[in-house]
């Protein structure tokens, strides 16, 4: 049996002395913004009763997912920037946890946006039954389903990798993921490749098909309705959701496409990091700017802060 090493070496990104500090500063500021914006949105929604609506409660899942996905990735990347590639050592179990979080982040992004699409479908196509259908229990069921499905799929994905004996220690990605882990093995990884491909195809096809079906029905409902308020509501809320989905989908597809070009390893590594940072940064901004209720709560909050010191 091949002896398993408890440590791996991550090559990560290649930097020069002139560009590593600007990159470090950019990633640090992006991470701080992601934390402040997403945690701030969650706190605002949970503390303001006017925002205790299914649409905002479901969006909290996306903010929590963005914080989770970036918190185990960006700090490690920041630490690696400041040390030479030969000293970027990571414990195997830390690497495994990072891979689990990375795949949970990507999978959750799809499942959460799918349940948010269902919420918009009910709100636009069944407005009179919206309060009955999207009650507290339904919100909890949708949330548990989104996270539960992601957990099971990712647990099986990494479970197939953990069983493999390792004979290598070099990870060529800027962070750990499932392909990086099973490439450490000298055993047959056919099952890993088959399940990984099936996992990706099922997730993407389910996600894309559900979005297309949902928005087709919403479009049909708007075209057959003479209500301007309904069409205006659909345009505001659905455009925001669709924008978030397209950002996540395009970021993921660019990363997948770059895997087909082994001669561009640095571009693939950069896109892998941006896949986490870009959606995490833009989601709270887009949702916050498009939501009148959130903007009202924020303006009320800042107005109170200006008024209080005057007493």
């Amino acid at each position: 049996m091949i002896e398993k090493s408890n440590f791996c070496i991550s090559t990560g990104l290649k930097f020069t002395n002139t560009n590593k500090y600007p990159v470090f500063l950019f990633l640090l500021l992006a991470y701080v913004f992601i934390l402040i914006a997403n945690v701030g949105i969650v706190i605002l929604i949970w503390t303001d009763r006017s925002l205790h609506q299914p649409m905002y409660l479901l969006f909290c899942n996306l903010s929590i997912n963005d914080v989770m996905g970036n918190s185990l990735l960006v700090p490690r990347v920041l630490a690696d920037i400041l040390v030479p590639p030969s000293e970027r050592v990571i414990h195997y179990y830390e690497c495994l946890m990072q891979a689990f979080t990375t795949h949970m982040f990507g999978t959750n992004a799809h499942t959460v946006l799918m349940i948010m699409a269902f919420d918009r479908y009910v709100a636009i196509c069944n407005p009179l039954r919206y309060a009955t259908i999207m009650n507290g229990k339904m919100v909890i069921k949708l949330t548990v389903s989104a996270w539960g499905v992601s957990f099971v799929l990712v647990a099986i994905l990494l479970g197939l990798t953990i069983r493999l004996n390792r004979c290598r220690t070099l990870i060529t990605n800027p962070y750990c993921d499932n392909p990086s882990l099973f490439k450490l093995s000298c055993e047959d990884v056919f099952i890993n490749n088959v399940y990984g491909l099936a996992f990706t195809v099922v997730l993407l096809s389910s996600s894309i098909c559900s979005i297309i079906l949902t928005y087709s029905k919403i479009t049909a409902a708007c075209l057959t309705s003479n209500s301007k308020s309904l069409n205006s509501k659909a345009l505001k809320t659905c455009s925001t959701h669709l924008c978030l989905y397209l950002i996540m989908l395009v970021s993921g597809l660019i990363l997948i496409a770059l895997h087909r070009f082994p001669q561009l390893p640095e571009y693939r590594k950069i896109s892998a990091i941006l896949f986490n940072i870009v959606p995490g940064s833009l989601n709270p901004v887009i949702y916050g700017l498009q939501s009148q209720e959130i903007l009202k709560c924020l303006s009320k909050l800042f107005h109170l802060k200006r008024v209080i010191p005057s007493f």
Side-chain angles (χ1 to χ4, degrees), residues 24-283:
F24 179 89
L25 183 61
F26 167 75
L27 291 177
L28 178 62
L29 292 176
Y31 178 58
V32 171
F33 177 79
I34 288 170
L35 287 182
I36 294 174
N38 285 285
V39 173
I41 286 279
V42 172
I43 293 174
L44 180 65
I45 291 173
W46 280 99
T47 55
D48 196 308
R49 295 188 64 85
S50 65
L51 297 177
H52 288 187
Q53 304 173 32
M55 178 174 64
Y56 300 117
L57 295 176
L58 292 176
F59 178 72
C60 284
N61 289 285
L62 205 58
S63 291
I64 294 170
N65 188 52
D66 287 335
V67 171
M68 177 196 73
N70 284 279
S71 291
L72 263 77
L73 168 65
V74 180
R76 181 72 201 193
V77 173
L78 290 173
D80 286 345
I81 290 175
L82 301 178
V83 298
S86 59
E87 298 179 15
R88 295 170 184 172
V89 179
I90 182 172
H91 196 281
Y92 178 75
Y93 293 112
E94 182 186 348
C95 190
L96 189 63
M97 181 58 66
Q98 195 178 79
F100 179 81
T101 307
T102 298
H103 289 287
M104 276 292 291
F105 167 78
T107 309
N108 267 337
H110 284 276
T111 56
V112 169
L113 286 168
M114 286 166 67
I115 63 174
M116 289 175 68
F118 174 75
D119 170 73
R120 292 300 82 208
Y121 163 73
V122 177
I124 303 301
C125 299
N126 294 283
L128 298 179
R129 298 183 57 206
Y130 180 72
T132 304
I133 297 174
M134 294 302 298
N135 52 33
K137 289 184 179 180
M138 178 58 75
V139 172
I140 293 174
K141 286 180 181 179
L142 290 173
T143 300
V144 172
S145 298
W147 287 82
V149 168
S150 299
F151 181 85
V152 171
L153 291 175
V154 174
I156 296 173
L157 183 74
L158 292 177
L160 292 172
T161 299
I162 295 172
R163 68 186 175 84
L164 300 172
N165 291 310
R166 302 183 300 278
C167 61
R168 304 183 184 97
T169 58
L170 185 64
I171 293 174
T172 56
N173 279 350
Y175 58 86
C176 299
D177 57 8
N178 186 59
S180 301
L181 288 175
F182 71 66
K183 286 177 183 177
L184 299 178
S185 174
C186 295
E187 295 183 25
D188 183 17
V189 294
F190 176 75
I191 296 177
N192 299 71
N193 285 318
V194 170
Y195 181 79
L197 179 61
F199 172 51
T200 304
V201 170
V202 170
L203 181 65
L204 284 177
S205 59
S206 300
S207 174
I208 294 172
C209 289
S210 68
I211 296 297
I212 292 175
L213 180 62
T214 300
Y215 278 93
S216 297
K217 292 191 174 184
I218 289 175
T219 302
C222 292
L223 291 175
T224 56
S225 173
N226 296 322
S227 173
K228 291 184 178 180
S229 61
L230 176 66
N231 294 340
S232 176
K233 178 183 177 182
L235 180 63
K236 287 180 180 179
T237 60
C238 294
S239 61
T240 304
H241 174 267
L242 192 58
C243 186
L244 299 183
Y245 182 79
L246 290 175
I247 289 172
M248 180 272 300
L249 186 63
V250 171
S251 300
L253 290 178
I254 290 174
L255 180 58
I256 292 173
L258 285 174
H259 273 282
R260 305 301 175 190
F261 298 93
Q263 69 273 22
L264 301 173
E266 293 304 308
Y267 289 101
R268 177 176 55 79
K269 293 176 184 179
I270 292 171
S271 68
I273 295 174
L274 293 179
F275 172 69
N276 286 55
I277 290 177
V278 172
S281 302
L282 294 181
N283 288 346

